[in-house]
Each structure stands twice: as structure tokens, then as C-alpha cells.
Amino acid sequence: MAAIQSDLPLLSPMTWLIKGSEDMRKTHFVGAFYGLVFVVLGYALALVYAHYWKATMGLTASFFLLGPIVCTGLYELSRQVQKGEEVSLPKSMKAWLPNWKMMGLFAILLTFLMIVWARVSIVLFALFADQEYPHLQSLISQIVDFKNIEFLLVWTCVGAIFASLVFAISVVSVPMLLDRSTDTLEAIFTSANALWNNALVCLLWASLIVCFIGLALVFFKPLLVITAPLIGHATWHAYHALVLPD
């Protein structure tokens, strides 16, 4: 595994966000293209809800699971800025090619976890949820209704296990696969090691990701044009803060 920085200040994620915002400016906001991808995915979730509401919560979690892969282009844009190269959106779209096998393996792993969680979520709805949720705007209030307290507790606990697993293996995995000629397992174990040695810092970082992406996803999807690139650029700096130079 790569060497890990283990004495990061608790508020390091705030520094990563500041550096991420600077990258957005230095790249002339071309990363907004990837933000549009997140917006489209957000509206796709709403469309799924309209036809099959039981899959919505599982797919929403999946939205976060596959985020690191979608953000690969954003990591490349930050790398271009860091190296003093010309900013190129087309080049960022091909960033995965040099290490495509390992990138592909990691994407397959995340996709497998996404499918498993989506199916588990549907099963939990069938076993524990007592109400139908006919209106999207009332979904949250009906879920947290006392009549559904068993469902809420079970779904939250199981979801936390999936989320913790995915976050542990993906904190720095994709930026590392992009930046170094490494394999998927090394990146995953390095990511887990970074989380283990900086648990509170990474927990704060995960909370910020959920806030920036989740709130935009729920309340105003077009805001993802800004928040998704910000998190993507900041993740590149999180990787460089957590993993020591090769």
C-alpha cells in the first residue's frame, strides 16, 4: 500500500473544498459538464420514482456509490491544473484509458454493490414499510412516520453498512488509479488505510459530500451543476492530502 498521512487536522476537508473551488475557477468551470451529468441522473431518479417508487431509495444510494467513477473527468481537470497543463475537457473524458483495466474492475465492483443495495432496499420496503408513498413531496414525512419506525431503523442500519463499506474502499481509490500505475486492490486497501488512520477527518468529509450532493439532489437538482464539480475537484486534493507522494 502507498504511505498514508495520519496527522491531518480535523478541518482539512474545508481546505479541500477551498482548493476545489479554486480549481473550478482555474479550469474556467468546464467541470460543469460533469455537473450536468449529475443533474440528468437526478431527474432520472425522479422519473424512476414516478413509475416504481420502491426502487427510489436504493437507486438514490446508488447515485452516491457511482459518484467517484462519474467524477473521474473532474479529477483529471484538477490534475491538469496541478501539473500546469492546458485545461482540456475532451482529454478529461479519456482520463481512464491509461489504466482502464483497473478502473473498469473498480467500476464493476461499485456496480455490483449498487445492484445488491438496490435489491436489498426493495426487500426492506416489502418486509417493513406499512404505507404506500403516492406523492414524492411527502415521501420523507411518510417514511419517518412512527408507523414505519421498524422500517426506518432497519433501512438506516443496513444502508449505513453499505455506505461505510463503499466509502471505505473509495475515499481515494479512483484518484489514485488515475494518478498512479497501480492496481485496484492496492487502491482499495490504501483507501481503507487512509480512512482507518484519519477516521474523524474522513467522517467529516463524508458528511460534507452528503450535504452538498444530497441536499441539491432533494431540493434543487440544477444546483448539482456547481456542487458536484466542487466535490469532485476537492476529492482530488483529499487524495493528495491523505496519500503521501509515490
Side-chain angles (χ1 to χ4, degrees):
M1 292 184 295
I4 296 297
Q5 179 66 263
S6 58
D7 57 351
L8 290 176
L10 177 60
L11 297 181
S12 293
M14 306 306 296
T15 302
W16 304 339
L17 287 173
I18 293 173
K19 291 182 177 180
S21 65
E22 292 174 352
D23 281 358
M24 292 179 68
R25 178 180 56 81
K26 292 176 181 178
T27 58
H28 311 293
F29 297 92
V30 297
F33 168 81
Y34 297 101
L36 286 173
V37 174
F38 278 90
V39 173
V40 171
L41 292 175
Y43 281 107
L45 285 176
L47 183 62
V48 169
Y49 177 83
H51 294 87
Y52 191 43
W53 61 267
K54 291 182 179 180
T56 304
M57 294 185 72
L59 290 177
T60 300
S62 303
F63 180 92
F64 288 92
L65 299 189
L66 293 180
I69 297 297
V70 179
C71 286
T72 300
L74 291 167
Y75 306 150
E76 169 61 17
L77 290 173
S78 286
R79 190 200 66 80
Q80 292 171 6
V81 171
Q82 187 180 65
K83 299 294 184 180
E85 300 176 2
E86 181 182 359
V87 175
S88 171
L89 178 61
K91 184 178 178 181
S92 72
M93 296 179 185
K94 300 182 290 184
W96 53 273
L97 286 175
N99 201 12
W100 69 270
K101 291 182 180 179
M102 297 299 104
M103 284 278 194
L105 181 58
F106 188 74
I108 290 172
L109 177 60
L110 288 184
T111 302
F112 172 75
L113 291 173
M114 178 194 75
I115 294 172
V116 172
W117 171 234
R119 298 304 303 174
V120 169
S121 183
I122 292 174
V123 171
L124 292 178
F125 262 104
L127 292 176
F128 293 98
D130 296 326
Q131 301 181 25
E132 294 289 327
Y133 307 119
H135 303 295
L136 181 58
Q137 58 268 30
S138 63
L139 175 63
I140 297 177
S141 63
Q142 290 179 334
I143 287 176
V144 300
D145 189 281
F146 184 76
K147 295 179 180 179
N148 277 324
I149 190 65
E150 291 183 357
F151 160 74
L152 182 63
L153 290 175
V154 173
W155 191 90
T156 300
C157 291
V158 176
I161 294 173
F162 271 91
S164 300
L165 173 62
V166 171
F167 186 66
I169 68 174
S170 62
V171 177
V172 298
S173 294
V174 179
M176 185 174 176
L177 290 171
L178 175 67
D179 190 44
R180 309 184 185 194
S181 297
T182 187
D183 61 78
T184 304
L185 289 180
E186 181 182 352
I188 287 175
F189 284 116
T190 299
S191 186
N193 192 29
L195 175 60
W196 180 261
N197 286 281
N198 298 276
L200 292 179
V201 174
C202 290
L203 179 60
L204 176 58
W205 178 228
S207 301
L208 290 172
I209 293 174
V210 172
C211 288
F212 275 81
I213 302 299
L215 293 179
L217 182 63
V218 172
F219 295 106
F220 189 61
K221 294 177 182 62
L223 190 59
L224 289 167
V225 172
I226 300 298
T227 59
L230 175 61
I231 292 298
H233 288 301
T235 299
W236 177 258
H237 294 284
Y239 154 66
H240 276 283
L242 289 166
V243 183
L244 295 175
D246 190 5

